[in-house]
Structures are given as structure tokens and as C-alpha cells.
Amino acid sequence: MNVLFILLGKIFPLYLTIFVGFILTRYFRVKREHIAFLLIYILGPVVIFFAVLSIEINLQLVFLPMFIYIFGSLIAFYILYKYKNQWKDASVNTLAFTCGTGNSGYFGIPLAMILLEPSVANIFIFGTLASILYENSTGFFVTAKGTFTARQSIMKVIKLPVLYSFIAGIIFNILGFKTPEVIIPYFENFKWAYGLLGMMMLGMGMKGFNIHEDFDKKYIKIAYFYKFIFWPGVVLAIIFIDKNFINFLNEDIYKVLFLFSIIPLAGNTVTLAILLKAKPEKASFTVLLSTLISVIYIPVVLALYGGF
């Protein structure tokens, strides 16, 4: 019960930010496409570059983003293939995207800071780099295929600056460069801006929502099965196997992996859906509802897991 009340208190401001995003778009005519562009092409690359530059890389930490990226990509392509004939619009593309990832940045990082020790929370933050990379490569590709050809989708992925900022961060990290102390406060401001604008996108995506057209029971059922049942099920199996047979990971990695598996659907589902005109209203409703469900779902599964 304590975890539930802590989550409610900490998450409530996020819901206010979502509401502000809806008000800005609905009544002040703020262009949501401009915010989506800002998140993907400007704030995202800056945040990921300095985050990659700031970590100390080892084999256990490398496993974390590799697993998140590869597992999420496999799910996305599987969903795209299995359900490609279920919808006549771009719904399957946003569905494939959202089943392969979670809201690790806008929702997950604050949650990790609440539940985990600072050193373990830093591991979670490093893991979010895989989500950002997924969202801007595999996720962008499967979403763009609802609007563009395969060649056009690949070209759009190649043009995304976040991929190059990630590579640059890795190179500078290996070469021994450190983030200058004088610019760390500016980097923190970028992270806050990224988080706040990302949550606003959920509200902005609700503009034009029609309950009769955009409440898709099949869409929601599939998305929630993969995010709230399949993801944690596979992660628990990996933890069990490693604990009993391999002993490669440690308890901190177990906690981070499990937390990744139970966060709600990714807010960037809405960002990309808006940018690529791929049913943003349906995506926004599904993501927002998953965030509301998570207020109860997360404390329950954490209590059952017993590792926190």
C-alpha cells in the first residue's frame, strides 16, 4: 500500500502535464507536429549523447540495452507480420511499435528514482538508451511503413540524428572524454524538457479523438497482452534461468529488467504516430489508458515479484 500511495503522489503531476498538452492543442492551437519534431530531432539526440558519454560501460550493463533492443525489435516485427491484414489503415504499424517498447523515459525514469537506490536507478537510465535507439530505428521503421514505402522508411531512419548522437557518445566514451562539469546543469534542463514535452504529447494526441472510431478493442487487447503479460513473463523466465544456472547478472540488473518489463506503453508511440500521420488518436488513447492502469498494476506486480 505504501508503494501505491507513493506512486500516486509522484505520478499525479505527470497526469497534469498530459492535461496541459491537450489544452494547448485544443484551445491554444499549438501544433503537435512541431513538438514531435522538437522531441525526435533536437532534444532526443542531445539527451542520448550526454547520457552515453556519462556512463561506465561493462559487460553486464551492455547486456541490458542489447536485450531490450533485440527483444523489442523481434516483438515489433512479429506483430507487424502476424496482424498485417487485421486493419486497413496504419493501426498495425503503431501497434507493432508500441508492443516492442515501453515508456521508459517519460514514466520509467521517475519511477526508477522512486523505487531504486540511486546507483541502480542510474543503471535503469542507461537501459533507456536502448528504448530510444529502438524507437528511432526499428520502431520508426515499422511505424513509417504505414505511410511510406520500405525504401522511404529506411531513408527516414538513416536521417534520424539520434542514431548518430548515440554512435558519437559511444566513441567519445571509449576515447575517455567526460562531460564537462560546467554544462551538466544544461544537460539536466534538456532532460526535464524532454520528459515534460513527451508527456504533453499524450494529451496533444487526444485532439480529434472519437470514442466510436478510435476505441479499438482488438488493438488494446493485443497491446496490453504483450506489454503487461508477455514482457514480464519472458523477463521473469530470464531471471529464473540466470539465477539458477548461469549467474551472469546480479540483483540490480534483475530489478532493472523487471521494472522495464512492467512500465506502460511508450509515449513516443504518439509522437511518431503524429509525425507520420499513423492514427495518433487511437495510439494516444491506448497509451494514456495503459498509464492509468499502471497506477494499480505496477504496485501489484512489484509486490508479487518481491524484489523491491
Side-chain angles (χ1 to χ4, degrees):
M1 289 300 293
N2 287 338
V3 174
L4 176 59
F5 288 125
I6 291 173
L7 283 173
L8 287 173
K10 297 291 185 178
I11 294 172
F12 182 70
L14 299 182
Y15 294 128
L16 287 180
T17 307
I18 294 172
F19 180 69
V20 168
F22 173 77
I23 296 297
L24 289 175
T25 303
R26 178 67 176 83
Y27 296 103
F28 294 92
R29 303 183 185 277
V30 175
K31 296 293 184 182
R32 57 190 185 182
E33 292 83 0
H34 295 168
I35 304 300
F37 181 90
L38 183 65
L39 284 168
I40 291 178
Y41 290 99
I42 299 177
L43 293 178
V46 173
V47 169
I48 195 170
F49 173 77
F50 283 106
V52 172
L53 188 61
S54 301
I55 61 169
E56 183 178 345
I57 301 174
N58 59 49
L59 287 178
Q60 289 181 325
L61 288 183
V62 168
F63 169 83
L64 181 63
M66 284 182 60
F67 169 78
I68 295 169
Y69 180 82
I70 294 173
F71 184 57
S73 296
L74 290 174
I75 291 177
F77 284 117
Y78 174 76
I79 295 294
L80 191 64
Y81 173 78
K82 182 176 181 179
Y83 299 103
K84 61 183 178 181
N85 297 320
Q86 297 295 313
W87 289 274
K88 296 181 180 179
D89 53 28
S91 294
V92 69
N93 302 91
T94 58
L95 178 64
F97 171 90
T98 202
C99 286
T101 187
N103 198 344
S104 59
Y106 311 143
F107 188 98
I109 290 177
L111 186 65
M113 295 176 69
I114 295 170
L115 298 175
L116 303 173
E117 294 294 325
S119 59
V120 186
N122 288 336
I123 297 175
F124 184 94
I125 293 171
F126 172 66
T128 64
L129 303 179
S131 297
I132 296 174
L133 185 60
Y134 163 87
E135 291 169 1
N136 290 280
S137 56
T138 300
F140 192 96
F141 177 80
V142 299
T143 309
K145 275 185 63 63
T147 306
F148 306 99
T149 65
R151 183 179 182 279
Q152 289 172 324
S153 299
I154 292 173
M155 292 305 297
K156 285 182 174 292
V157 170
I158 292 174
K159 293 178 181 178
L160 286 171
V162 70
L163 297 178
Y164 303 102
S165 68
F166 180 86
I167 294 171
I170 290 291
I171 292 173
F172 278 90
N173 189 308
I174 293 174
L175 292 176
F177 286 88
K178 301 296 181 183
T179 305
E181 293 290 334
V182 68
I183 67 171
I184 289 179
Y186 295 98
F187 166 58
E188 294 298 323
N189 290 336
F190 268 93
K191 287 198 297 185
W192 279 109
Y194 184 78
L196 290 174
L197 290 178
M199 293 306 294
M200 284 185 186
M201 286 301 301
L202 294 179
M204 291 179 171
M206 292 299 292
K207 180 180 180 293
F209 175 77
N210 186 310
I211 189 72
H212 300 293
E213 295 180 6
D214 298 313
F215 181 80
D216 189 329
K217 186 181 294 185
K218 180 190 296 184
Y219 184 98
I220 293 173
K221 180 181 178 181
I222 295 170
Y224 290 3
F225 169 77
Y226 280 93
K227 192 68 203 73
F228 293 132
I229 298 176
F230 187 71
W231 261 93
V234 171
V235 167
L236 285 174
I238 291 173
I239 292 173
F240 175 81
I241 292 171
D242 188 74
K243 271 187 174 182
N244 291 278
F245 303 103
I246 302 175
N247 295 313
F248 172 66
L249 306 175
N250 56 45
E251 288 293 333
D252 291 342
I253 300 294
Y254 295 156
K255 291 179 180 180
V256 170
L257 270 176
F258 188 70
L259 199 58
F260 260 103
S261 74
I262 63 174
I263 53 178
L265 298 176
N268 271 344
T269 306
V270 184
T271 305
L272 286 178
I274 290 172
L275 198 63
L276 302 171
K277 298 178 175 60
K279 301 297 291 182
E281 292 79 20
K282 181 186 294 187
S284 185
F285 177 79
T286 305
V287 171
L288 181 58
L289 183 60
S290 78
T291 305
L292 295 173
I293 291 172
S294 291
V295 175
I296 303 300
Y297 169 80
I298 289 176
V300 170
V301 293
L302 287 178
L304 292 174
Y305 176 66
F308 287 79

